[in-house]
Amino acid sequence: MDNGVWAFLAHPDETSPLPASGLLPDGVLRDDYPLPPRPWRPLTPDDYAFEYTLVRLPAIRTPRLRRYHDGHRP
């Protein structure tokens, strides 16, 4: 997962790894991270990766997951 996406999901209001306090001396520049770009759509799992993981779970033999798997196959 991209670092910017992780930072947005974990700490959406934080722009810097450490909170700023006080003033910086003259000639010292801040090293803040820029705001991560917001996703233009909700994050969704890749269909192939989701099915690849789902079919390898032992719980796929349960009726509920089997119905889900069979109902969403292309």
Side-chain angles (χ1 to χ4, degrees), residues 2 11 18 34 40-41 57 60-61 64 69-70 73-74:
D2 181 58
H11 306 286
L18 298 173
W40 56 274
R41 63 180 173 88
L57 293 175
I60 192 67
R61 294 181 183 90
R64 183 175 141 223
H69 177 263
D70 293 343
R73 292 182 83 177

Side-chain angles (χ1 to χ4, degrees), residues 1-17 33 35-39 43:
M1 181 179 287
D2 181 58
N3 188 9
V5 174
W6 174 252
F8 171 72
L9 293 174
H11 306 286
D13 296 329
E14 187 174 319
T15 60
S16 175
Y33 293 126
L35 287 173
R38 297 198 181 260
L43 296 173

Side-chain angles (χ1 to χ4, degrees), residues 19-50:
S21 63
L23 298 174
L24 294 174
D26 290 335
V28 176
L29 301 175
R30 294 239 9 152
D31 191 21
D32 284 346
Y33 293 126
L35 287 173
R38 297 198 181 260
W40 56 274
R41 63 180 173 88
L43 296 173
T44 55
D46 179 62
D47 290 334
Y48 177 75
F50 184 69

